[in-house]
């Protein structure tokens, strides 16, 4: 139908118009929900910084590698390339295997060619609200976690065997 005075067609509201309005309202509602929702917000919890000491143990390394980690070396996360602390101490001990002989007597075998290397690392860490420590660019440290690390002359994978917040000098 045309309006006779203007020559324009009269507008009729139909189902397509209602669907488009519902879609627009839904999109605006979803954007408002996302904007106001904590689900999509950046974690705003307060974190603090702390000095920590942790130990990485590399087991069954060749004995010549025990000399390659030196006190004062910067420890680098081999995965990210970020510094994750400085070597504070290194202990290299010969590997000892323990077992039982066929008659049940205990037997120890000392391997001169293998060592367990324990690297003590001092680092600055971010302490999350739940008490976990993160070093470097967010590497979370947990006792038992594998850590791929390198120092100038050595790259290895070890396990974190201890972790504590540093107090005073030690």
């Amino acid at each position: 139908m045309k309006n006779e005075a203007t020559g324009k067609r009269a507008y009729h509201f139909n189902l397509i118009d209602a669907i488009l309005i519902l879609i627009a309202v839904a999109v605006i509602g979803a954007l408002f929900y996302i904007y106001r929702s904590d689900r999509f917000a950046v974690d705003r919890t307060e974190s603090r910084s702390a000095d920590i000491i942790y130990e990485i143990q590399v087991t069954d390394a060749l004995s010549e590698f025990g000399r390659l980690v030196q006190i004062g070396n910067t420890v680098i996360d081999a995965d990210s390339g970020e510094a994750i602390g400085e070597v504070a101490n290194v202990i290299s001990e010969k590997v000892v295997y323990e077992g039982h002989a066929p008659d049940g007597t205990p037997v120890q075998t000392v391997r001169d060619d293998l060592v367990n290397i324990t690297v003590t690392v001092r680092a600055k860490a971010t302490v999350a609200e739940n008490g976990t420590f993160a070093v470097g660019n967010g590497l979370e440290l947990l006792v038992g976690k594998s850590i791929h690390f390198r120092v100038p002359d050595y790259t290895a994978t070890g396990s974190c065997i201890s972790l504590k917040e540093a107090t005073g000098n030690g």
Side-chain angles (χ1 to χ4, degrees):
M1 267 196 202
K2 289 188 179 180
N3 187 343
E4 309 240 339
T6 60
K8 293 184 180 177
R9 191 168 179 202
Y11 180 76
H12 292 286
F13 187 82
N14 53 28
L15 184 61
I16 299 294
D17 297 326
I19 291 173
L20 289 174
I21 290 172
L22 285 174
I23 290 173
V25 169
V27 167
I28 290 170
L31 289 174
F32 181 76
Y33 177 74
I34 290 170
Y35 177 73
R36 300 290 292 175
S37 174
D38 288 338
R39 292 187 321 137
F40 297 97
V42 176
D43 186 16
R44 294 184 181 107
T45 58
E46 296 281 328
S47 60
R48 63 181 177 88
S49 183
D51 289 325
I52 62 167
I53 297 172
Y54 62 100
E55 290 181 316
I56 305 171
Q57 186 174 56
V58 180
T59 57
D60 297 339
L62 293 175
S63 59
E64 58 263 22
F65 294 150
R67 299 184 295 275
L68 298 178
V69 181
Q70 301 293 318
I71 294 174
N73 284 158
T74 298
V75 181
I76 305 290
D77 176 22
D79 294 330
S80 70
E82 295 286 328
I84 58 172
E86 181 178 296
V87 176
N89 195 22
V90 181
I91 299 171
S92 184
E93 299 172 325
K94 290 183 181 179
V95 172
V96 177
Y97 291 115
E98 296 180 350
H100 290 87
D103 64 359
T105 58
V107 176
Q108 287 189 339
T109 304
V110 178
R111 296 283 308 263
D112 292 327
D113 59 331
L114 297 177
V115 292
N116 292 330
I117 305 167
T118 303
V119 182
T120 304
V121 182
R122 180 178 279 277
K124 276 263 190 235
T126 302
V127 184
E129 192 175 271
N130 64 2
T132 59
F133 297 102
V135 293
N137 198 17
L139 175 66
E140 187 178 47
L141 294 176
L142 301 168
V143 173
K145 181 177 182 170
S146 289
I147 300 174
H148 311 288
F149 72 97
R150 69 175 188 249
V151 292
D153 297 323
Y154 184 57
T155 301
T157 298
S159 293
C160 180
I161 60 168
S162 73
L163 172 62
K164 64 181 179 180
E165 195 164 341
T167 55
N169 291 331

